[in-house]
Amino acid sequence: MAHIAGIVMTERSRLGLIALTVAITWLPYLFGWLITPPNMRYLWLVYNPDDQNVHLMWARQAMDGAWRFHDLYTTELHPGLFVHLYALALGWFCRFTHIPLHFAYQLFRTFVAVAFLLAAFRFGDRCLPKGQIRQLFAWLVCFSSGLGWLPVLYWWQTGQRPPFFFVDVSPELTMPEANSFLSLTVAPLAALGPALVMVTLRRLPCLAEGEGKATVSAATAALCGALVANIHTYAAIPMLLAAAFWFVARWAQRRRFEFRLASLIAAALSPCLLVLVVQALVFPRDPAFAEKAATPTLTPSPFILLGSYGIVGILALFGLPIAVRRLRANEKEWLMPLCWFLALLVAIHLPVSFQRKMIEGLHVVLCLLAALAWDEWAQRSRWLAHRWAMIALVLLTVPSQIAFFALNGYWLVNNNLLPERRLQPPYFLAERHFRLLAWIERHAEKDDAVLCHPMLGNYVPPLTGRKVFIGHWAETLRFTEKLRQATAIWQGQLRPEEAARFFERHRLRYALETDFERGAAGGKTALSRYGSLVFAVGDDKVFRLRWTKEVGRAKGAE
């Protein structure tokens, strides 16, 4: 085996690479903190705050003592059957440490990033010999991306939308779940899911080969499998497919059914399957969950996916037949990665609404195959075996990550208030906004809902623990219809009696008036027509909305 000159991956260098990667993921957050405008606060979010605030909504309910979570972004009645262990841990952590929820979210993201990289490196160790190939695999997992920077650069330079964007970086659809570095930076659940999957899949071959105690491997796989089914179900489905493919492939290779192994795998994966079955039976009873689960998040075309992985994807295509050839040469370590690769490709094309969410982990397998291809070629070419060739390869895969940071820096400087970021909430809120929300938190009942613009409403559940009428494009049921209804109220188009019935039906007790609502109303809201002023900070106000009986009493008093 040829070795790239001077490249050896020690445990110390591996830990150093993890520390470097995690430190780099903090850069956009530190930039946001440094440029915080006067009299404003940074919420420690980048990219799309709306989806991250959904996770924080669950954690806020855990912080307030709940363990079954409601969707606080919609006012429709629903039983609240959702249980999420990661949100519980985050909420309890904040409850006992009093660390602000949004900052604690970033601390948890840091721990998840370390766990993911450790799991990915260990997963690759089974297939890759010691030395340069592990180093290349590790660097590709940490930093590689695709060709998305090219259409973004065109858009930036010309101001015109290109015919297409790739999904490794884009001002429109970016898929953090499809790329390891992006997951580590902005999507901790999309990193924790595949981390647990990799631990589980590593344990199954241990059961087959008799490595260590079977009970320990089975128990570890059972625990991690159950956790991934609860914490990030999207990753559990391809994991179960991979395990099934792996067992069937072993059966075909050996031409005999391994009853003992089958029983051990069944015991190891039954907790995961049980959690999935319970979710499938319970969640359809929750109308809020059932409706938002039907929101289509479909897989992009093969062309877009290949471009989004770029050089790594192309190298992986060359590495795939090499891995198959090595498997046939009795390097059985390659069976599980290949089965996971096949399972991921199958999963992201299943006829379900959440196709692209199941892509988590594909980037790791592609990096594994890409490193294998490069190592094979390096044995034939002294130039490719040089350390600078490997460094050049890694650098060629990095530009989209730089573009992602640049794009987020641009959004941070403009506080997300840009035409292409329509209805994405801001990264900074004014101190007066926090004073309004603090008043709501102190005075509103737990079942009270708040009427405000979604730009501010996206922060209401995590910062107050209260429901909001409209706050998220998917979590708020019938979002577009409700935005029209809210605009009609701000503009005073409803009669007081009609509005009172509407407020009572949705348990809307309070309404906020800030620049967001005044902008939607065309300059000034008509909220004083529907409620009484109870709190104000400058021009920003909180109104207590009148319900049917209160409207009647107000008329009687007149």
Side-chain angles (χ1 to χ4, degrees):
M1 180 73 63
H3 288 273
I4 295 174
I7 299 289
V8 179
M9 184 147 208
T10 63
E11 198 64 27
R12 185 175 179 179
S13 65
R14 174 177 288 187
L15 294 176
L17 178 58
I18 291 174
L20 174 65
T21 305
V22 172
I24 291 174
T25 67
W26 271 91
L27 291 180
Y29 299 98
L30 295 175
F31 176 72
W33 175 66
L34 287 171
I35 66 167
T36 303
N39 300 315
M40 301 191 84
R41 277 191 234 172
Y42 178 45
L43 275 300
W44 291 100
L45 297 174
V46 298
Y47 181 53
N48 290 350
D50 58 347
D51 291 337
Q52 297 173 78
N53 274 328
V54 171
H55 303 150
L56 292 166
M57 166 195 67
W58 304 334
R60 174 58 197 240
Q61 292 176 75
M63 184 176 157
D64 290 340
W67 64 275
R68 292 191 311 172
F69 305 142
H70 290 79
D71 180 1
L72 301 185
Y73 283 107
T74 200
T75 51
E76 283 77 7
L77 292 176
H78 58 281
L81 302 174
F82 189 58
V83 179
H84 195 270
L85 295 177
Y86 184 85
L88 280 170
L90 177 57
W92 290 343
F93 175 79
C94 293
R95 183 174 186 173
F96 293 114
T97 63
H98 303 290
I99 293 176
L101 187 57
H102 285 79
F103 187 74
Y105 179 70
Q106 298 306 328
L107 296 180
F108 269 53
R109 178 189 62 81
T110 301
F111 298 140
V112 167
V114 173
F116 172 87
L117 292 175
L118 286 173
F121 295 168
R122 298 297 183 198
F123 186 78
D125 286 349
R126 289 190 66 89
C127 302
L128 305 177
K130 293 181 180 180
Q132 79 289 356
I133 188 171
R134 286 187 179 180
Q135 180 84 336
L136 177 58
F137 168 68
W139 281 87
L140 290 177
V141 167
C142 288
F143 298 118
S144 69
S145 57
L147 303 176
W149 64 276
L150 291 172
V152 168
L153 182 63
Y154 173 86
W155 168 72
W156 224 322
Q157 293 293 323
T158 66
Q160 300 177 8
R161 189 191 185 282
F164 56 83
F165 284 108
F166 295 121
V167 295
D168 56 324
V169 60
S170 165
E172 297 175 358
L173 173 65
T174 300
M175 289 174 54
E177 62 270 25
N179 183 274
S180 299
F181 182 79
L182 295 186
S183 296
L184 302 182
T185 304
V186 298
L189 292 185
L192 183 56
L196 292 167
V197 167
M198 286 184 281
V199 174
T200 304
L201 295 182
R202 277 186 67 237
R203 286 297 171 177
L204 298 186
C206 294
L207 292 174
E209 304 303 327
E211 298 178 19
K213 294 183 178 180
T215 53
V216 174
S217 292
T220 303
L223 175 61
C224 292
L227 286 174
V228 74
N230 172 263
I231 291 173
H232 221 44
T233 309
Y234 306 124
I237 295 172
M239 181 190 76
L240 292 176
L241 286 174
F245 293 163
W246 175 78
F247 182 80
V248 171
R250 277 183 60 92
W251 186 4
Q253 280 180 333
R254 295 169 179 256
R255 299 184 180 180
R256 61 184 176 85
F257 189 86
E258 299 173 280
F259 288 97
R260 181 179 178 276
L261 180 60
S263 62
L264 288 172
I265 292 175
L269 297 181
S270 57
C272 174
L273 190 59
L274 179 62
V275 173
L276 292 179
V277 169
V278 170
Q279 290 177 345
L281 294 175
V282 171
F283 286 163
R285 301 179 185 178
D286 188 331
F289 182 89
E291 187 168 332
K292 68 188 179 186
T295 303
T297 50
L298 304 180
T299 300
S301 68
F303 168 74
I304 295 297
L305 282 182
L306 184 59
S308 301
Y309 289 111
I311 295 173
V312 169
I314 295 170
L315 283 174
L317 292 178
F318 288 99
L320 182 59
I322 299 172
V324 172
R325 188 172 69 246
R326 293 198 175 186
L327 177 62
R328 289 175 176 171
N330 205 32
E331 291 188 27
K332 52 186 177 295
E333 298 84 3
W334 283 99
L335 180 58
M336 183 60 81
L338 289 173
C339 288
W340 192 25
F341 178 60
L342 177 61
L344 288 164
L345 293 182
V346 170
I348 62 176
H349 293 99
L350 290 174
V352 293
S353 60
F354 50 88
Q355 286 179 336
R356 73 168 184 254
K357 299 293 185 181
M358 293 187 286
I359 203 171
E360 296 166 6
L362 180 60
H363 182 248
V364 174
V365 184
L366 293 178
C367 291
L368 194 62
L369 295 172
L372 178 63
W374 189 267
D375 184 66
E376 183 92 355
W377 296 345
Q379 296 179 54
R380 306 171 190 170
S381 169
R382 294 183 61 184
W383 184 86
L384 293 180
H386 199 280
R387 62 176 301 183
W388 289 108
M390 187 185 81
I391 293 171
L393 171 65
V394 174
L395 290 177
L396 286 173
T397 68
V398 168
S400 283
Q401 314 295 23
I402 298 173
F404 182 78
F405 274 22
L407 201 55
N408 277 272
Y410 172 62
W411 293 337
L412 280 163
V413 168
N414 291 278
N415 200 17
N416 233 4
L417 305 177
L418 294 161
E420 67 269 19
R421 301 290 286 168
R422 182 175 178 268
L423 292 182
Q424 274 294 335
Y427 301 115
F428 308 96
L429 291 181
E431 289 292 344
R432 64 183 187 275
H433 295 149
F434 282 96
R435 291 183 62 184
L436 297 183
L437 296 178
W439 191 95
I440 291 290
E441 184 180 14
R442 290 194 306 269
H443 294 86
E445 300 292 335
K446 282 294 182 183
D447 290 335
D448 289 342
V450 178
L451 173 65
C452 62
H453 194 278
M455 298 285 276
L456 185 57
N458 189 251
Y459 285 104
V460 168
L463 291 179
T464 70
R466 303 304 187 270
K467 292 181 181 179
V468 68
F469 179 64
I470 179 169
H472 187 275
W473 62 274
E475 300 288 325
T476 299
L477 305 187
R478 298 184 295 282
F479 177 89
T480 304
E481 175 188 343
K482 287 184 176 179
L483 184 57
R484 286 196 299 267
Q485 292 170 333
T487 303
I489 293 168
W490 295 325
Q491 294 177 344
Q493 297 177 14
L494 275 65
R495 292 180 293 105
E497 297 84 356
E498 183 183 1
R501 290 192 297 271
F502 180 82
F503 298 151
E504 194 164 0
R505 184 165 66 252
H506 291 277
R507 288 199 61 82
L508 289 169
R509 178 51 77 183
Y510 295 99
L512 305 182
E513 181 183 302
T514 67
D515 289 340
F516 296 120
E517 292 78 24
R518 286 189 286 269
K524 183 179 180 182
T525 76
L527 288 174
S528 59
R529 187 184 183 195
Y530 305 121
S532 53
L533 179 66
V534 291
F535 183 70
V537 182
D539 292 335
D540 293 346
K541 304 166 186 174
V542 178
F543 289 89
R544 180 182 171 88
L545 299 173
R546 287 188 285 267
W547 290 4
T548 304
K549 291 182 179 179
E550 295 166 313
V551 170
R553 284 198 297 268
K555 282 194 170 183
E558 293 175 2

